[in-house]
Structure formats: structure tokens, C-alpha cells
Amino acid sequence: MVATFHVEHASRSSRIGTAALAVVCLVLAAAPAFAGRDDLRLLSEIFAYIALASLWNLLAGYAGLVSVGQQAYVGLGGYVLFASTILAGIHPLLAVALAGFVGAATALPVAGLLFRLRGHYFAIGTWVVAEVFRLIASQLSLLGGGSGISLPASIVIAMAGSRQMRELEMYWLALALALAVLGGIALVLRSRYGLALTAMRDNELAARSSGVNVRRIKLAIYIGTACATAMVGALIFLQKLRMSPDTAFSVNDWTAFVIFITVIGGVGRIEGPLIGTLLFFLLRQTLADLGSIYLLMLGCIAIAIMLFAPKGIWGVLAGRFGWQLLPLQRRLRFAAE
Amino acid sequence: MIWLNIIIQGVLTGGLYAMFAAGLALIFGVMRLVNIAHGDLIVLAAYLALVTIDALALNPLAAIVIVAPVTGAIGYALQRGLLNRTVGDDLLPPLLVTFGLSVIIQNGLLELFTADSRRLSAGAIEVASFPLIEGISIGVLPLVQFIAAIVIIGGLQILFYRSAMGRALRATADDPSVAQLMGLDNRHVFALAMAISLAVVAVAGVLIAIRTNFDPALGPARLIYGFEAVIIGGLGSMWGTLVGGIVLGVAQAVGAQINPGWQLLAGHLAFLAVLAVRPQGLFPKVQG
Amino acid sequence: MPEPLLEVCALDAYYGDFQALFSVSLAVEPGEVVAVIGANGAGKSTLLNCIAGTIKRRCDAIVLGGQAIGDLPAHAVVARGIALVPEGRRLFPSLSLEENLLIGGQLGRPGPWNLARIYSLFPALSERRHVPSTALSGGEQQMAAIGRALMSNPSLLLCDELSLGLAPIVVRDLYARLPAIVAEGSSLIIVEQDIAAALAAAKDVFCLQEGRLALAGPSAALSREAISAAYFGA
């Protein structure tokens, strides 16, 4: 007798979670109706960090590529945006897409070099690459050199009729990009590539022996995250309107915060970055101007979590209550005979 | 002639980078751990020297005698108290914990000492030089530093290959579980390795703080120099890290001569070139 | 009746959730050779690892010279006088033969064994002192591993599958040295799949089957049938 089975992805928890998520998205999309300008900016920043943290999570938590150099692509995205709009007159929204393309194209040769390094050395290598990008950027006098450059008003005005329209456009763009990133990641995880990633994470050798093309998948994930990170970076600096090599390639802003967010929220789970980002911004709002003390605290919290609750906050919650936000698990259900 | 001078400068600076690298390579060899806070600990040593010099009115070179053991002790406590919990097959914990440590040290130093650039002054020796041949003169301080690098790396070689402690380190590096069967306590051996590593980089940290300015944010740069020197030289070879440091120093010196803004970039590009063409480094150890 | 050198008392051992040993008890007298036999996966190596301290066990499960040592970590167990020759030799690849021996003597426990004595026990090794341990033959590696363990001057030597991967003549040669080791004052527990060699060398034999003690007794008194039954299960 051959037993038939199917793979079940959803659970009661994930059905509730997905529904809740959908409601939240609708509320966020309608936010401009009731939220002020500053709130919308804050939300855009939150969306950007959700995207960056989710991408880092995919890279490190799923593909096992721990990078401390993703700021390379954030800055790259920003510079492509500024360069293409200022020097080539390309429309800003198109420039964001171009940033993604350039990010992906750059990631290919970079990966060729970096993949020669393993583990910890790979991580530092990513940092070196980011430093190289930063140093090259500070030599580009056309784009402000070491002191940086502002986006001319004319380019920004070209985006939409009124300033209000522009703000709305950027807000929805930020929301859309974050949702696209999350959606893309969820799709990857749900596909058989997601299964391959989980296998690779558990035991790379066994995965390889089972026929998983580890190198190709890692490369694809690296290039994909670079592309998306660059687009998020482009959008961030479109919002900020000003950029310098130090801000574009800042380790603190684009790597330290992102890593702490993901670790505290929970590495290796798609919900982790969401929780982490919310917590991070909550902390930031309440501890506003503590500057270096704030970073110090974050560092301590991250270390404590890594040592005592390595699965992060969501990991603890999911372990205790079996919660799931999105239908990503795989349960084998056999047909009753 | 200028170029010969430049190259000599680069070689002498390379000695310092080699010391950064030796510390990094040592702990990676013994515990498969890369300490992202490595560079920040080098900077910490410089600040420790600053405090010691202020308190005791010492010359920086003399302060090394105090700072190196103290930093070594900090390393022992750090490994035994914190980092030993992260040693294992999983990559993420040690990387993230040392990354967190890096942020903590940087910001702690920022709070204590502000972001002002500092320098340790060693008096007349800083500018003293003597002529080597026609047109070439060598700074006394850089020469002292280079000799220190050779002595230290040579010392590490002797420690590793001709002492009981070195045997214990190599055995634990080979097989930590069988090393226990020899009566070696891994927790202690790892902590010892970290202590030695940090004592070495403390020396380098104080020496470089006499030559160039330092501030709390300089840690990552030091880490990267050490890392690049290790990769260029080849994993697993102590003398290789000396060569790696020299290559890096020369690349930076040449780059700086062409264009002052290109100094760091030249070093990075040399590293990337080695990675592209000979990823195992110039003197890789043939593993049995 | 002298007090046993080592007593294993109702030892349980787990690998995660999997139980590998069920209430195993045995005793080793001073100056005695004891054999532990059993099929693959019966728990023989687990037993030795528990005694040596590399696997977690109850404090009172292992008693050495009247003292419970179950809570000691492996490096402390060596200091008390129990040395393990691990399965598969596991010499340190970065060390030469002599360095491997020297590191066995790291603790500096007093006793008859030193470099010279090891080389006189295994003359073949003295010509290969400075050879990297990876370049040694299987038989030489096994001799080196035994020598390395002896350098800690143990009162109890644990030998895990000495015959693994070695030619019969080499195995015979190795077993011929065991009496010399006992004569210097160490007791032995040998774990073997080669039953004949084990029975010939040991005074008492213990047979494990799927983590349980299936048979125990003097090797001279046990019949082939009894051993087979215990080894493979009834």
C-alpha cells in the first residue's frame, strides 16, 4: 500500500499571524490619512531597517554567510542613485531600480573573491570590501569626494507635483519595497530552495551529498541580497537627500544596528527582524540622545542574547508557544487510508 | 632613491602589521576563533598606555612593560569569562559576541576619552634617524619597531615549537577533546592563547600609537591590517605573517607616495590581488 | 580480598536522548587485566569514555580507589591516574612522535614511565622519534598512542580497540607487551572486538550487548557458547 501525503505549510498560528499581518499592512498603507509628516518619515526608516535586517537574516541566518560588510551595498545603492540622477539625468525611481541592478552586477565578482574565504575570515573580508568601496567613493570628486554631496532640488521636484505628493510617493515606495523584500524572502523559504537552505544550515556536508548545489545557492542568495540591499540603500538616501562616504558606508548605521536588530529579534526566523526592528525603534525613541551609551547597551544586550537566548526573542516565543507569523513550516500529512 | 626609501619605510611599518597579524593568527590557529574586537583591543592597549604614562610619568617604550602583561591578563579573563562560551562549531556566536564586544569597547573608550585624536610621545627617539647609505636614512623608532616585530615573532615560533606550553597549544589546536585526555584543561589553554595574543598586540598597539594618532574608532582599521597580513602571508605560518605584513606595509607606502589618499586603498587592493591570484597566501602551511 | 582499584556502579550513559548504557557495573582489581567485549554499538567505547571522563555521568557511578570521581572533568581524571588510549589512536597530527609522547607526560605524575622506558618497551619507536605522527604506520601509531597514555603514569590504562585496522602479527606483537605494562604497576581495561586476543590477555571478561552487561566472569571459566550468546544476544 503506498501512503499518499502532502506537505502542509500553514498552521493555526500562522493563519492568525498572516491575517494580522495583512491588516497591519492595510493600516500602514492608509497611514498618510492620519499620520503626520514626521511619523511617516519614522515609519519609512522602520521599513528600511526591516528590509535590511530581513536581508541580513537571509544571508547569515539561512545561507550561513555572515557578513559585516553589507554597508557596501547600501552605500553603493546611494551612490548609484546620486550618480545616475545627477550625472545622467535618470528619473529617481528608475535610478532605484538601476541601483539594484548595479548591486547585483557588483556582487558577482565580489563573491568570486570573497567565497575563497571561509567563516570568520569571510566576515572580515566583507568588511574590507566595504572599506574599499568607501575609499573609492571618497576619491570620486564628481560625487563630492570625501565631504559628500546633496541631491539637487530639481531632481527631487521632478518626482511629483507637490511636496506632499512626493512624501506620499516615497512613503509608499518604502512600504512597497519592505513588503517586496519580505514577500520575496518568504517565497524563497517556501520553495525548495528554502528547504535546501535549511538543509545547508543544519549540515552542509550532508546537504551537498544529497545533491544540493551549495555553492550556487549561496551565490544566488548573496547576489539577490546585494541587489535588494542596494535598492533599499538608494531609497534611504533619496529620502535623506544628502550623502557622504562615511554616512553611506557607515558600519554603525547599516551593519551594527542591523545585526543587533536581527540577533535580538531572532536569527534564522523570518519573524526575528520584525520583532527586532520594532524593539530597536522603541528603545531608540525612549533612550533618544544617549549616543554612544545607547550603542554600548545594544552591544551588551546582543551579547547577552547570543549567550543565553541564542534564538532571540522570537525564537523563545516560538519555542514556547509554537507561534508562527507566516506559513513557512513543513509538516507531512498522510492521507488516512 | 625615493622609492628605495619608500620601500624601506613600508617594510619597517610592515613589522607592526605583522604583530597584529600574529596575534590574530595565533587565536585562530588554536581555537578557530576570529576576534572581531581584536583591533579595538589594540586601541585599548594604546589608551591603557596613555593612562599609565600620565600616572607614572613613563616613556611609552617603558610603559609597554606594564601594558603588555595587563592587556594579556585582560585577554585571559575575557576568554575564560566570555569567549570560551562561544567556542564550538557554530560560526555565529563567536562572531556576533566579538562584534558586540567591538562596539562596546569603541563606545566605552569614546565615553571615557572622547573622540579626540591622541598620540603617545616618546621624546627624541621619534625623530631620530641615522643614515644607511648615500641618500637613505632610517628612523630609529621604525627600526626599533621592526626589530621588536622580528623578536616577538621569533619568540612565538620558539614558544610554539620548542616549549611545553607550545606543545600544549598545538595539541589543543589539533584535537581539543584528546588534549583533555592529556590532562590539559581546554578552558585554560584557550585563555592562555588569548593572553599571549593580546600581550603581543599590546606591544604593537603601543608602538604604533607613538608613530601615528589614535582614537576610539581606529580599531576596525587595525583589525583589517592584521587580517590582510594573515591572508597575504598564508594561514598557519608565523613567518608568513611577517612577509604578509611587509607586503601590506610596502603596498601602503607605495600607494601613499603616488597619491596620499590612496594609502589605505593600495593596501586593500594588494590584499584583494593576493586573494584573487593565490588565495592560500604566499606561504601556506602544508597541513598533514 | 583487596579493595578494587576501579568500580563502575550502575552506570547510565546518554547521547542526547539516546541511552547508550543501562546500569552497567564492573570492578577492576589492582594489577589485573580486564576485557570488555561486545558487538559494534554495544557501548564499549562509551563505557571507556565514561570512565575517562569525556562523557557526563553520575558522581558515584565511577569510583577510583574508594573515591567517587564521576563529577570530575576529563583533564582531572587523568591527574587521578586513569589514562585512555582512544579508539583510532588519535595522535596529534601537528606533533612529532616524541612530542606526542612528551605531551602525554604533561602532568608530570610520578612513576616508572618516561621517554627512555617507553622506547625500551617499543624499540621500533626509538628510530622514529622526530617523524611527524602522520607519517607513522598503523602499528607504530598504536604503540605511540599507548606510550603517550603511559607517560602519565596511570594506575589504570584504558585501551579502546587496539587491534583496529592492524595486521594480526602487529596485534600479536602489541598484546605481547601488555604483561610488561602490568608489571610496572598499571591495571588494564581492554576493549576489543577480537575476542580471542581479549580472552587470552584478560583475567576477567565483561560482555556488553546493546548497552547492558550480558555476561561477566573469569575468561578461563566461560565457554564459547556462553560468550557467543552474550555477544550476539539470545
Side-chain angles (χ1 to χ4, degrees), chain A residues 21-98:
Chain A
L21 204 61
V23 169
V24 168
C25 288
L26 286 174
V27 169
L28 286 174
F34 50 85
R37 203 169 141 230
D38 287 334
D39 290 333
L40 290 184
R41 285 201 161 229
L42 181 64
L43 281 173
S44 300
E45 217 188 328
I46 293 180
F47 299 156
Y49 269 100
I50 287 181
L52 288 177
S54 302
L55 288 167
W56 190 87
N57 192 20
L58 182 67
L59 204 55
Y62 286 95
L65 294 167
V66 181
S67 161
V68 291
Q70 290 308 91
Q71 67 270 21
Y73 297 107
V74 174
L76 180 66
Y79 269 91
V80 168
L81 177 88
F82 274 50
S84 53
T85 52
I86 297 175
L87 301 175
I90 296 183
H91 189 275
L93 296 186
L94 212 59
V96 172
L98 182 65

Side-chain angles (χ1 to χ4, degrees), chain A residues 201-217:
Chain A
R201 184 176 56 179
D202 285 345
N203 187 332
E204 195 169 302
L205 188 58
R208 218 186 294 246
S209 328
S210 306
V212 173
N213 193 332
V214 168
R215 193 192 155 89
R216 193 136 51 98
I217 292 183

Side-chain angles (χ1 to χ4, degrees), chain B residues 203-245:
Chain B
V203 173
V206 174
L207 288 177
I208 205 173
I210 303 177
R211 285 181 63 180
T212 56
N213 294 339
F214 64 94
D215 64 73
L218 220 47
R222 305 264 190 265
L223 168 72
I224 288 181
Y225 296 155
F227 159 72
E228 290 179 338
V230 169
I231 300 291
I232 294 176
L235 293 167
S237 168
M238 277 287 164
W239 290 118
T241 54
L242 182 63
V243 173

Side-chain angles (χ1 to χ4, degrees), chain A residues 85-163:
Chain A
T85 52
I86 297 175
L87 301 175
I90 296 183
H91 189 275
L93 296 186
L94 212 59
V96 172
L98 182 65
F101 179 73
V102 173
T106 318
L108 186 56
V110 167
L113 282 176
L114 288 182
F115 279 20
R116 290 160 193 256
L117 297 167
R118 299 243 136 252
H120 304 261
Y121 284 151
F122 170 82
I124 305 186
T126 61
W127 202 339
V128 174
V129 168
E131 276 298 292
V132 171
F133 283 17
R134 183 181 67 83
L135 289 168
I136 292 179
S138 51
Q139 295 295 313
L140 296 173
S141 42
L142 273 178
L143 289 170
S147 38
I149 194 171
S150 299
L151 204 59
S154 51
I155 292 179
V156 183
I157 291 174
M159 273 181 67
S162 66
R163 191 179 75 178

Side-chain angles (χ1 to χ4, degrees), chain B residues 160-172 174-187 285 287-288, chain C residues 52-54 73-76 78 83-84 86 89-96 99-100 102-104 106-107 134 148-149:
Chain B
F160 251 70
Y161 292 103
R162 290 184 203 279
S163 77
M165 190 191 292
R167 236 183 352 252
L169 288 168
R170 277 185 295 143
T172 310
D174 276 347
D175 196 336
S177 41
V178 176
Q180 284 183 65
L181 297 176
M182 306 293 116
L184 295 170
D185 185 355
N186 288 349
R187 298 169 306 179
K285 188 172 202 168
Q287 184 60 19
Chain C
T54 53
H75 64 269
V78 187
L84 173 66
R89 272 77 77 178
R90 289 181 78 177
L91 295 176
F92 296 111
S94 300
L95 274 52
S96 68
E99 287 179 313
N100 267 283
L102 285 171
I103 202 156
Q106 182 86 3
L107 282 176
T134 45
R148 182 179 64 173

